[in-house]
Amino acid sequence: MTLVALALLQSPAQAFAERVSTDWLGGIPESNRLAYEVTRKGKRHGFQVFEFSRDAAGNLIVDVHIEINFKFGPITLFRYSHKNREVWRDGVVQSVVSRTNNNGEAEFSNLQREGASLIGSGTKYEGQLDDPIMPTSYFNPNFIRQTRFVSTQDGRLMKADVEELGRETLNLPNGQVEATRFRLAGKLAIDIWYTDAGQWVQTEFSRGKNVLLIKQIDPATLPPRRDWARP
């Protein structure tokens, strides 16, 4: 791990989370694909998928696609689609480029690394974001060792305190797993679960009166790519 990556891990949240691996690649499966379903009250309303690859320079390319669609009968109440590409090197994010359709509102982020900062713009930000900082894509287990985050949706800075809540047993496609639950409180308010190996397996958060659960699923259950929305 580089000195820059080590520096990024230095935060008040580092004192705990000892069970969760610090290997930033620990959560990426051999298939290079992760998938999650978005549910409310047990009903599926969308999905999220990660696809990992390498470029010619050996950088990790992370492609993220999210769709959420709330309906009341045939009527669409809320629709969300998001496409994000991140480039990582030695555990440090090098760029974040995204576009989002947030229920009809177009949003974006376009940030590039220059030294110890991400510089660029988004729907809700323009300028320089200094390290330590982590994008809100969650796949890197060192996410819970940070307190400063950049929204992959609109580029804004989101600060949060991180608290470890304890161990839980979750039912996943490959069986039961033990995971540690963390709570982020602040501009970014979520509960998030990681396995000891560092794989993100679940997130829970509220939007108004709605409590949404994002939980890992078998990628084979995703809709075919031809049916994916285009933000």
Side-chain angles (χ1 to χ4, degrees), residues 107-218:
E107 299 191 291
F108 78 97
S109 64
N110 190 341
L111 302 167
Q112 308 291 326
R113 177 161 295 278
E114 294 187 17
S117 304
L118 287 173
I119 297 176
S121 62
T123 315
K124 296 183 179 179
Y125 182 81
E126 183 172 356
Q128 177 174 313
L129 295 167
D130 295 328
D131 291 332
I133 199 162
M134 186 79 70
T136 54
S137 48
Y138 306 154
F139 81 91
N140 183 339
N142 294 312
F143 177 85
I144 44 85
R145 297 178 173 94
Q146 301 299 318
T147 57
R148 300 174 73 253
F149 309 94
V150 57
S151 168
T152 58
Q153 178 175 310
D154 53 37
R156 63 187 158 128
L157 176 66
M158 306 174 76
K159 297 181 180 180
D161 294 323
V162 185
E163 175 187 6
E164 181 178 328
L165 298 185
R167 303 280 280 178
E168 294 184 13
T169 301
L170 303 180
N171 293 313
L172 297 181
N174 295 328
Q176 291 187 332
V177 299
E178 293 293 316
T180 303
R181 182 177 186 172
F182 301 88
R183 176 162 294 165
L184 281 71
K187 290 293 184 181
L188 180 59
I190 60 172
D191 282 12
I192 191 165
W193 288 253
Y194 286 92
T195 65
D196 293 353
Q199 190 167 97
W200 168 46
V201 288
Q202 185 168 282
T203 296
E204 184 179 277
F205 62 96
S206 298
R207 287 295 178 267
K209 296 181 179 180
N210 296 313
V211 178
L212 302 183
L213 183 69
I214 303 175
K215 191 170 185 177
Q216 189 177 14
I217 57 172
D218 185 343

Side-chain angles (χ1 to χ4, degrees), residues 52-113:
F52 303 94
S53 60
R54 296 278 182 175
D55 66 13
N59 298 314
L60 180 71
I61 309 301
V62 184
D63 287 304
V64 186
H65 183 88
I66 304 172
E67 291 187 30
I68 302 173
N69 193 0
F70 288 101
K71 287 188 173 183
F72 181 74
I75 302 173
T76 297
L77 301 177
F78 177 84
R79 178 170 290 173
Y80 179 96
S81 58
H82 169 84
K83 187 175 183 179
N84 173 35
R85 169 166 282 194
E86 298 173 9
V87 178
W88 290 72
R89 183 185 307 131
D90 296 331
V92 181
V93 65
Q94 303 298 305
S95 64
V96 179
V97 179
S98 75
R99 62 179 184 269
T100 302
N101 179 346
N102 186 6
N103 202 33
E105 180 180 351
E107 299 191 291
F108 78 97
S109 64
N110 190 341
L111 302 167
Q112 308 291 326
R113 177 161 295 278

